[in-house]
């Protein structure tokens, strides 16, 4: 639940949303939200009977807390096991706004995740959709052949090694 909140800091979630996302019981989620509120890394807002919770990115521990969550629950953890069974992948990279935020470049939370697959793999659509379900963000996978990737004269895509 903490990973979900901190990897989606632009959104707030009801306890019902978090129950569905985590697969935990409503009582467990409510208890854990209480604990997070007591500890301080989250904030809440009431809207009628809804209790809306979000990460508090202004907390002094927000960045040190987000970094290990991104490594263990973010795209770099989710994509490899989805791509490994696909034949024809020589290399794969995450680029774009997600990679920029991970490299500490300032900016808003990424709306999507961009991945580059080097090789001849064609069956990338299902992996992208599975990653979207897990990560809660659109996943765009681009493919470039190994020959194009290694020969700058063939690489009009703008990708660089």
């Amino acid at each position: 639940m903490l990973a979900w909140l901190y990897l989606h800091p632009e959104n707030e979630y009801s306890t019902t949303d978090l129950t569905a996302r985590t697969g935990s019981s409503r009582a467990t989620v409510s208890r854990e939200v209480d604990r997070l509120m007591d500890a301080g890394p989250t904030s809440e807002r009431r809207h009628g009977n809804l209790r809306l919770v979000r990460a508090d990115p202004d907390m002094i521990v927000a960045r040190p807390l987000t970094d290990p969550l991104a490594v263990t629950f973010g795209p770099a953890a989710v994509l490899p096991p989805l791509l490994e069974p696909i034949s024809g992948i020589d290399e794969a990279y995450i680029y774009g706004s997600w990679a920029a935020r991970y490299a500490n470049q300032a900016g808003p939370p990424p709306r999507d995740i961009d991945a580059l697959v080097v090789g001849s793999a064609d069956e990338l659509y299902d992996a992208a959709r599975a990653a979207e379900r897990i990560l809660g963000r659109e996943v765009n996978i681009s493919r470039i052949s190994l020959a194009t990737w290694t020969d700058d004269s063939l690489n009009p895509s703008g990708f660089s090694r």
Side-chain angles (χ1 to χ4, degrees):
M1 185 167 55
L2 187 63
W4 186 260
L5 291 171
Y6 268 85
L7 295 179
H8 300 86
E10 71 280 13
N11 297 323
E12 58 186 5
Y13 298 93
S14 70
T15 52
T16 302
D17 294 334
L18 293 171
T19 297
R21 171 56 48 191
T22 62
S24 299
S25 71
R26 180 171 271 165
T28 298
V29 167
S30 184
R31 184 175 56 251
E32 293 305 315
V33 166
D34 289 340
R35 288 180 180 162
L36 289 172
M37 292 305 302
D38 290 343
T42 57
S43 61
E44 75 176 344
R45 179 175 70 89
R46 297 279 183 167
H47 184 73
N49 290 336
L50 283 178
R51 181 181 191 187
L52 301 169
V53 183
R54 70 179 319 140
D56 186 351
D58 297 325
M59 290 274 311
I60 194 165
V61 298
R63 184 63 194 198
L65 183 59
T66 302
D67 287 345
L69 293 172
V71 169
T72 54
F73 296 101
V78 170
L79 284 169
L82 294 172
L83 295 175
E84 283 172 1
I86 301 172
S87 63
I89 296 177
D90 295 301
E91 301 174 46
Y93 302 94
I94 297 170
Y95 69 98
S97 58
W98 184 274
R101 296 310 157 271
Y102 188 74
N104 295 319
Q105 293 179 15
R111 291 180 178 225
D112 63 358
I113 296 153
D114 299 304
L116 174 67
V117 167
V118 178
S120 61
D122 287 325
E123 302 300 322
L124 301 171
Y125 179 83
D126 290 340
R129 300 301 74 82
E132 286 177 354
R133 286 189 296 276
I134 296 166
L135 296 167
R137 296 196 185 283
E138 182 180 339
V139 175
N140 305 301
I141 300 179
S142 300
R143 184 181 60 85
I144 188 170
S145 73
L146 183 59
T148 303
W149 180 248
T150 55
D151 185 344
D152 290 335
S153 68
L154 298 174
N155 190 351
S157 66
F159 290 114
S160 63
R161 294 181 304 283

